[in-house]
Amino acid sequence: KNWQYADAAAKRSKTAADTKQFLKHSEKFGKRTSGLKMATDRMSSEESEQIDELSIDTLKSYTKKATAAKEKNWQYADAAAKRSKTPADTKQFLKHSEKFGKRTAGIKKAADKMSSEEE
């Protein structure tokens, strides 16, 4: 946004006030750019540890809650399919069917992780 302000002031630049506005916004833009560069450099140089493992209790809890949500999405999709008189009903059916599929995949993935950790 500051660059847009600076650019507009540069295009106008008929008065000293326009030049002053240009310099002000250009300086702000430069500071923000350097600040972003410092932040990204700091983030990339820091060693960040990513946690990939979840406890068995967390996976069980997810499976239980996701199963309930999956069944609810199936009910919504089924109701929309039965109505299916308008494009909105079809859209609702597709939305809930997609959620159902994603929940099913998530539950399967959690079950696979639980079985591999128990071995």
Side-chain angles (χ1 to χ4, degrees), residues 36-48:
L36 284 171
K37 184 180 180 325
M38 285 186 346
T40 53
D41 289 347
R42 188 179 310 143
M43 287 177 64
S44 63
S45 67
E46 289 179 2
E47 290 184 28
S48 60

Side-chain angles (χ1 to χ4, degrees), residues 3-15:
W3 182 248
Q4 292 170 345
Y5 292 142
D7 191 41
K11 287 179 183 174
R12 283 192 316 261
S13 69
K14 294 178 181 165
T15 65

Side-chain angles (χ1 to χ4, degrees), residues 82-99:
K82 288 178 182 173
R83 283 190 314 261
S84 70
K85 294 177 182 159
T86 65
D89 290 334
T90 305
K91 189 176 179 180
Q92 286 294 311
F93 170 74
L94 293 173
K95 174 185 165 185
H96 292 296
S97 296
E98 184 179 349
K99 282 185 178 183

